[in-house]
Amino acid sequence: MEKSLRSIFLVILIAISAQATVTNSLERNQIWRVNAATDDQLQDLKDLQNTKTVEMWRYPQKVNEPILIHVPSEHIKFSENYLSDANITYKVTVENLDDVINQQKFRSKRAITNLDEFDYTVYHRLEEIQEWMNLMTDRFPFVSQQQIGLSYEGRPLNMLKIQKPSSGAPKPIIWIDALIHSGEWVTSASLMFIWKEILTKPQYSWIIDSLDWYIMPVLNVDGYVYSWTFNRFWRKTRSITGTSFCQGVDGNRNWDSHWSEASSPNTCSSTYHAAFAGSESEIRHLMRFITEQKEGIKAFITLHSYSQLILYPYCYARNTYTPDHDEQHQLAVNMSKAMYEVHQTVYTPAQGAKGLNYLWSGCTIDWIYDKANITLTYTIELRDKGTYGFMLPPEQIVPTGEELLAGIEVLATHVLNKH
């Protein structure tokens, strides 16, 4: 097919599918790994994304950078023909998405009444994560639970505070959150694993003796529930955006730092920034909490997947660095080295926009640095680099957590030496 004819066909297809979204029924849907070898093929992939017949997990940015795409069953034949006409190579990495998702959701249905029974090798629903938090506060007298607000749909936004009594000066605080993007399940799973390790193994006692911690296993609670019940790859919140068919806002584009400069105004986009900064209940409550506690918080980590990156500000511009860039970068390098030593998994340290190779304004770490004045602020993108993407197999939860723990140890040491 000539490129001009394909372009005309795409215009027609875009018009037909403009109001469509990728189906929530995942039976016989597939995941493909595609690669553009030329600039023309890169443009072809961008055109394909605009048809909304497939869902690309990473926006096509440069040649020879493989990306994963979610191909609904009804669009498989079209996608095959389109990629063939464009001479774009692809590989089917998941033949039947529904089967794989059901396997990842499978686990014992019995109630968990003891922390020792909790299974860290599977993914857990929101109510099970909440039960884990309850059991943590029951087991450890220095662990408490705090609600910082309510989500859009009225669910509590709960965090754990790990604070051993101290007679001296207030200890430095480190914050870690997960699941601002609700389809990134490994973030919460690995966060729970590392805290099981820290709280139960003597070699990590210094981490809680010398520092206080705030951890939030699920920030986007509404979206996380939706990812279990309707759409495994749901990313955004679940707020009403003013349209009848598209809901939600990208929480990592909703912070009041260069808001809307490099994010989408389209309500149906997965990176929609909302009508105004801090519009989302989840983000608004967290901004308020951090503002109130910012004098004590010395480091801030927000967990994402996937890409295996350790990112620091800024996200909104490629060649704009903070005055603390040298320290931020060197600590990221040191964390990366420690994480590599565990399973030889490479986590690349980088400035936010350069690491992901695109601009993303209104992001968490830019606000944390600029508005909360917390120097050591990082987005850690966990496993993997695109083999499974958001569908990371449960057997990789513990290895991912072990790598994360190694990085957190380096961060904790740096904070103690500095403060």
Side-chain angles (χ1 to χ4, degrees), residues 303-359:
L303 299 176
H304 286 253
S305 70
Y306 56 95
S307 287
Q308 293 172 203
L309 299 167
I310 304 174
L311 305 175
Y312 47 83
Y314 286 110
C315 311
Y316 76 93
R318 282 187 177 86
N319 297 308
T320 303
Y321 297 92
T322 74
D324 299 292
H325 169 262
D326 290 347
E327 180 184 7
Q328 291 168 334
H329 179 73
Q330 188 57 55
L331 178 54
V333 168
N334 294 342
M335 292 169 66
S336 173
K337 290 178 179 177
M339 295 168 80
Y340 177 80
E341 289 299 318
V342 181
H343 297 295
Q344 287 68 61
T345 305
V346 176
Y347 287 80
T348 303
Q351 183 244 25
K354 287 189 174 180
L356 285 174
N357 200 33
Y358 59 81
L359 306 183

Side-chain angles (χ1 to χ4, degrees), residues 94-352:
V94 177
E95 291 277 357
N96 189 318
L97 194 52
D98 195 56
D99 285 348
V100 176
I101 290 174
N102 287 334
Q103 291 169 10
Q104 291 195 359
K105 289 181 178 180
F106 177 79
R107 67 216 175 285
S108 172
K109 299 295 185 181
R110 64 189 177 88
I112 301 168
T113 58
N114 188 301
L115 196 59
D116 296 329
E117 299 173 353
F118 195 86
D119 188 351
Y120 295 90
T121 66
V122 299
Y123 294 114
H124 291 275
R125 294 177 181 270
L126 179 64
E127 57 268 27
E128 295 167 341
I129 295 174
Q130 180 58 58
E131 184 57 34
W132 176 84
M133 296 174 72
N134 296 340
L135 292 170
M136 292 289 273
T137 59
D138 291 343
R139 168 76 68 86
F140 303 101
F142 53 86
V143 177
S144 60
Q145 196 166 168
Q146 183 173 343
Q147 179 179 317
I148 67 170
L150 295 174
S151 71
Y152 176 81
E153 294 180 341
R155 295 182 175 89
L157 301 172
N158 290 332
M159 50 160 276
L160 290 180
K161 183 177 182 179
I162 298 95
Q163 182 181 46
K164 278 193 170 183
S166 173
S167 58
K171 292 178 288 184
I173 301 168
I174 297 177
W175 170 282
I176 311 179
D177 67 55
L179 285 174
I180 190 173
H181 289 157
S182 50
E184 299 171 3
W185 288 6
V186 72
T187 60
S188 181
S190 61
L191 180 59
M192 290 189 293
F193 170 79
I194 71 169
W195 279 99
K196 183 267 295 186
E197 296 287 283
I198 292 171
L199 291 171
T200 60
K201 293 188 175 179
Q203 65 263 40
Y204 301 118
S205 60
W206 66 272
I207 291 178
I208 51 177
D209 290 340
S210 305
L211 294 159
D212 293 338
W213 297 81
Y214 297 150
I215 67 168
M216 194 168 193
V218 188
L219 175 54
N220 182 5
V221 288
D222 298 343
Y224 188 58
V225 170
Y226 194 78
S227 75
W228 274 84
T229 54
F230 291 103
N231 185 338
R232 169 63 180 84
F233 308 117
W234 187 257
R235 170 186 176 97
K236 301 189 288 183
T237 63
R238 292 296 299 160
S239 59
I240 302 298
T241 60
T243 66
S244 59
F245 51 86
C246 291
Q247 284 183 252
V249 167
D250 184 343
N252 204 28
R253 305 294 188 277
N254 192 233
W255 296 74
D256 190 16
S257 177
H258 299 274
W259 173 81
S260 82
E261 291 180 14
S263 53
S264 178
N266 180 356
T267 58
C268 293
S269 170
S270 62
T271 60
Y272 175 52
H273 54 55
F276 57 91
S279 65
E280 300 311 282
S281 179
E282 299 81 358
I283 305 306
R284 187 170 61 253
H285 286 305
L286 182 51
M287 286 195 296
R288 175 190 54 77
F289 179 84
I290 296 300
T291 299
E292 293 171 353
Q293 305 293 327
K294 66 181 181 180
E295 296 304 321
I297 299 175
K298 304 305 179 183
F300 188 104
I301 302 293
T302 181
L303 299 176
H304 286 253
S305 70
Y306 56 95
S307 287
Q308 293 172 203
L309 299 167
I310 304 174
L311 305 175
Y312 47 83
Y314 286 110
C315 311
Y316 76 93
R318 282 187 177 86
N319 297 308
T320 303
Y321 297 92
T322 74
D324 299 292
H325 169 262
D326 290 347
E327 180 184 7
Q328 291 168 334
H329 179 73
Q330 188 57 55
L331 178 54
V333 168
N334 294 342
M335 292 169 66
S336 173
K337 290 178 179 177
M339 295 168 80
Y340 177 80
E341 289 299 318
V342 181
H343 297 295
Q344 287 68 61
T345 305
V346 176
Y347 287 80
T348 303
Q351 183 244 25

Side-chain angles (χ1 to χ4, degrees), residues 53-118:
T53 56
V54 301
E55 180 182 31
M56 295 192 177
W57 288 356
R58 287 286 184 268
Y59 190 75
Q61 292 289 326
K62 59 183 180 181
V63 298
N64 295 319
E65 183 179 63
I67 61 172
L68 295 180
I69 63 174
H70 169 202
V71 185
S73 57
E74 64 269 27
H75 298 311
I76 287 176
K77 181 56 66 177
F78 164 76
S79 301
E80 288 175 341
N81 292 337
Y82 181 85
L83 294 180
S84 177
D85 289 340
N87 293 316
I88 296 175
T89 60
Y90 71 95
K91 178 182 179 181
V92 179
T93 61
V94 177
E95 291 277 357
N96 189 318
L97 194 52
D98 195 56
D99 285 348
V100 176
I101 290 174
N102 287 334
Q103 291 169 10
Q104 291 195 359
K105 289 181 178 180
F106 177 79
R107 67 216 175 285
S108 172
K109 299 295 185 181
R110 64 189 177 88
I112 301 168
T113 58
N114 188 301
L115 196 59
D116 296 329
E117 299 173 353
F118 195 86

